[in-house]
Amino acid sequence: MTPPTTTTTRTRPEVVTRGVPAARPAWAERVASADHKVTGLLFLGTAFTFLALAATEFFLMRLQLIVPENSMIEPQIFNRLLSAGTVTFVVLFALPAAIGLMSYLLPLQIGARSTALPRLGQLSYWLYAFGALVIYASFLYAVPETGSVALPPLSELAFSPSNGADAWIAGTALALGGFVCFAVNMLATVAKMRAPGLAWKRVPLFTWAGTVINVVLLVIGPVMIAALAMLMVDRHFDGIFFEAGEGGAPLLYQHLAYLFLTGCYAIVVLFAGGVVSEVLPTFARKPIFSHRAATLSFVAIAALGLLAWMQNMYAAPLNEGWTIAAMLFALALTIPVGALLYNWIATLWGGALRLRAAAWYAIAAISTMACGLAGELAYSVIPVGWALDNTTASQGDTIYVLVGGGVFGGFAALHYWYPKLSARLLGEGVGKGALLAMFIGIHLYVIPMFFAGLEGQPVDVFKYYEGTGVAGYNLIASIGAFILVGGILVQLGNAAYSWNNGNPARGHDPWGAPTLEWFATSPPPPHNFDVVPDVRSAEPLYDIRDAIRRRSNDFTGPEPLERVEPAPSAAAEGAGDTPPPQQDAPAPPAPEGSAPEPAQSEAPLEASEVEAQPEAPGQETPQTPEADDGGAGGEDEPGTPR
Amino acid sequence: MARRSQNLVLGIIVSSLALLLGVAPAYANGFGLEEAHSPNAETISTAYWVMIVITVLLIVVVNVALIAALVRFREKRGREVARFSAGRGAFRPVVGISAALALAVFVFGIVMTNDARQIEETGPEGLTDTATAQVGVKGLPPVSLLEGQESATGDEPITGEEPSESAPLQIDAIAQQWLWRFEYPGGQPGQRTFSYGELVVPVDTTVVLNITSTDVLHSWWVPALGGQVQATPGSTVQTWFKADEVGRYEGRSTVFSGSAYPAMRVWVRVVTPEEYLDYVEQRKADLTEAQNAVQDVSAEELSE
């Protein structure tokens, strides 16, 4: 193997912007900054912390249900875990995780230097953070015990006199208020601040999904805030919104809350859809099979999903016509979901998939969500819903989608964009191992719970009785849940550890991705881009690399034109990419210097993925002004003050 | 790398299959719903079987395609990337197939829903209206079934049309935290025969339940006798069943209702019509006796 030379700047040309040093201490910068990237990181950090909390609560609930008529956890405590668990997973983890990534990436993906309303974006995080604080502060005095969605009349003052319910209502409403602020900011940004040439047909699919998610947030956020406000009025100001027999109706809250929950479900699917649609093309080295079909699928999933909220209410006293309409919308979802799955598989077809951890997580997300969404087709049929709604069978199905989308999709995104966030790689070996555990765990949990649901086990119970034929299923499911939770916690630890200790990513664009966020340094400077590029296609970074390569061909400088292999831009021409030379070697020769920690098993593999000759990080400085540092910027602070 | 990932894929497939195979036969009932003992439960069971087959097929198709793409198109030395994208009409087959599937399932769903809602007449073995009339226990004519917000008040003389032979037995089921109360037809309003926790009904007889709640949301669900119905305070919904076999069936609520929610269970004891009539008579006598005893006690207290 030839030693690294300066030609690497030629083989991996990149244009990067240089960072501006921070003026304030880091913590003050984080608190005071209205930068969308800072907000995004705060959102992500808080959200994944709450994922650990939700997983722990889930673990405790499954511990209680491991044997029939268990008395380990008191019913009251169990109901508190139940009330806190759902809101923690959905409102404090799944939505803010999606929001954090959108906050960080959407402006970068569209080539914007900031968001349209930065202070509103900052406000959105602090509303969310204080909402979470209000919910969890209630653990100090009175804990909510109103169940996962606080359905009235149970959540009315007469049945839940505890202040904990008020904390639950107020905290959830605060967080949702933050999400609405976020959606306004993001929609304004995406509508008005796209780089020149970035028409909607060229907008990256994660941004597309994010835009649809923000529209959904604008619909469901105010609806749920209104429902919670009405509930608060009922509880403390003699309201009768949900009081049966006094002109109100408990059914009204069900409509509003289920519209909200259906929207959350759609958001999780769209979020995972956006992530997978970025990860697969990058790692398969192929553009998405059809950009247009993917965007249409996103829009259709959001619209039909929202319209189908009554699919959760087949047992409620509704007019027959409404339930049939709900069934129609829910079944019509088959079309966009089918098109999206087809789109992804067709993207993989004919490609050369690099099976990095991000790709594995994306594949796991597709597989798991497909199981859940296919099951949803069955539960949409009214008589099947009558039999299995609110049983552990349909709950397991929802968990397939929410965990498949939120957790697997979330970790796929984290693996993929981690180098952009931190200039380091999220530990690959640990990530793959944790994924295997999670994948086994979720099936080991959901499949037995499906059979328990067929035996009639309802959701949310703190115990089940002996002789009901579900004891064995619950035992297996609890073991599966423990494996799942273990995998999640290990992967979260991995993410926290890698932030400062991960392997440095090779350059600012370690994956050879097509979208604009990889045009900035890792991490990007506060203003994102020194030069806002002109966008000429849906894969702007390929164009940029291509242009640079051609320019450097014309350049007849003093160095010899030792062009080892075509640069990744060759892929943009359809010329066929060159696979890594060491791919199938039994022991890939570790290129010197590129693997600073050879003890990590994935380090040689990373090096083997490199298209061209890797170089030692930090060894070389840029040679030519137009082809800036390709691989060296990984570990040192990007750039010097200008 | 290639071998490792292949092993990983293989491991995942094998472990998933082993799980499926290991869990499925663990219980005899396996993939089926609880055994149906009422026509509407049978309809639900049919719908379930059709849909579970479709669902499993879809899951298998998607995952096999995914695994095939994964195995065939991994990165390899010398692999040429075919950078194609969708041409015109590339999505026509998949959209066509999924639209056809959705439409077929939709039509199937409507048929099944109507079938399950269709109230069947009382069978020959069941409690006929003539029999109920003899002991003064009557149901309402089926005219009031669908609009029937008012509950069954079998004591009132039925005006207008003659009571038909097949008039179903109307029973009020009232949910509360954490117990069901059942009010049987016959008797003065407020003094009707009732029972708690266990509903006793005659076999082969159409029973219409008027379901409501007095406090929070609950749900009526006896899997052998039909689907779930939400018990909502302030509104009354109807469901029905016609048990085909004598026995005792268990049911439970599926809506979270507070601290003792798992205890919100219910039992339906299906007996012969004669036993049912005896039961109601016995209940009535017991209740009258108890009320008289209470009245005696209070009268004594008053007189003292």
Side-chain angles (χ1 to χ4, degrees), chain A residues 425-440:
Chain A
L425 292 170
L426 181 50
E428 293 259 326
V430 181
K432 286 176 186 171
L435 173 64
L436 188 61
M438 285 184 233
F439 195 78
I440 291 173

Side-chain angles (χ1 to χ4, degrees), chain A residues 348-371:
Chain A
L348 291 176
W349 214 260
L353 184 65
R354 288 175 289 172
L355 283 169
R356 307 298 297 261
W360 272 120
Y361 273 99
I363 299 281
I366 298 175
S367 164
T368 317
M369 284 203 302
C371 294

Side-chain angles (χ1 to χ4, degrees), chain A residues 451-479:
Chain A
F451 289 106
L454 295 183
E455 298 284 332
Q457 184 176 351
V459 291
D460 302 346
V461 287
F462 62 80
K463 67 172 178 185
Y464 50 90
Y465 293 90
E466 303 231 26
T468 44
V470 295
Y473 297 136
N474 276 278
L475 178 64
I476 303 173
S478 282
I479 294 169

Side-chain angles (χ1 to χ4, degrees), chain B residues 30-77:
Chain B
F31 268 98
L33 291 174
E34 210 167 300
E35 198 185 339
H37 284 287
S38 172
N40 53 343
E42 270 158 25
T43 309
I44 288 173
S45 192
T46 312
Y48 162 79
W49 272 112
V50 171
M51 290 316 298
I52 196 72
V53 168
I54 293 178
T55 300
V56 170
L57 275 180
L58 285 177
I59 290 176
V60 168
V61 164
V62 173
N63 280 286
V64 163
L66 197 59
I67 291 169
L70 208 59
V71 171
R72 260 191 81 182
F73 298 105
R74 276 198 326 272
E75 180 178 59
K76 278 198 193 116
R77 185 194 295 273

Side-chain angles (χ1 to χ4, degrees), chain A residues 285 289 320 367 389 444 571, chain B residues 19 63 75 83 86 117 228:
Chain A
R285 301 163 196 261
F289 181 59
E320 193 173 345
S367 164
D389 274 355
L444 204 52
Chain B
L19 272 175
N63 280 286
E75 180 178 59
R83 285 179 57 89
R117 282 205 169 112
Q228 300 172 25

Side-chain angles (χ1 to χ4, degrees), chain A residues 281-469:
Chain A
T282 300
F283 286 93
R285 301 163 196 261
K286 257 187 77 193
I288 187 90
F289 181 59
S290 169
H291 186 279
R292 192 178 134 86
T295 58
L296 285 174
S297 300
F298 292 156
V299 174
I301 287 172
L304 293 171
L306 282 178
L307 284 172
W309 83 87
M310 275 186 276
Q311 187 243 9
N312 301 294
M313 298 168 61
Y314 286 159
L318 290 177
N319 233 329
E320 193 173 345
W322 286 115
T323 55
I324 287 185
M327 177 166 75
L328 176 65
F329 292 129
L331 290 175
L333 273 170
T334 314
I335 302 167
V337 168
L340 199 55
L341 290 169
Y342 180 74
N343 208 341
W344 287 334
I345 289 169
T347 303
L348 291 176
W349 214 260
L353 184 65
R354 288 175 289 172
L355 283 169
R356 307 298 297 261
W360 272 120
Y361 273 99
I363 299 281
I366 298 175
S367 164
T368 317
M369 284 203 302
C371 294
L373 291 167
E376 209 57 56
L377 183 76
Y379 298 118
S380 301
V381 174
I382 295 173
V384 182
W386 282 340
L388 292 177
D389 274 355
N390 291 323
T391 65
T392 52
S394 71
Q395 186 193 32
D397 198 69
T398 309
I399 283 178
Y400 264 149
V401 174
L402 291 187
V403 173
V407 176
F408 293 174
F411 282 136
L414 213 54
H415 266 287
Y416 181 57
W417 279 297
Y418 207 81
K420 185 48 61 188
L421 270 54
S422 73
R424 289 175 187 279
L425 292 170
L426 181 50
E428 293 259 326
V430 181
K432 286 176 186 171
L435 173 64
L436 188 61
M438 285 184 233
F439 195 78
I440 291 173
I442 191 170
H443 289 296
L444 204 52
Y445 169 69
V446 171
I447 294 172
M449 284 330 268
F450 171 74
F451 289 106
L454 295 183
E455 298 284 332
Q457 184 176 351
V459 291
D460 302 346
V461 287
F462 62 80
K463 67 172 178 185
Y464 50 90
Y465 293 90
E466 303 231 26
T468 44

Side-chain angles (χ1 to χ4, degrees), chain A residues 25 63 100 240 243 337 360 456 476 518 546:
Chain A
L63 202 60
I240 51 157
E243 294 273 358
V337 168
W360 272 120
I476 303 173
W518 303 101
D546 199 34

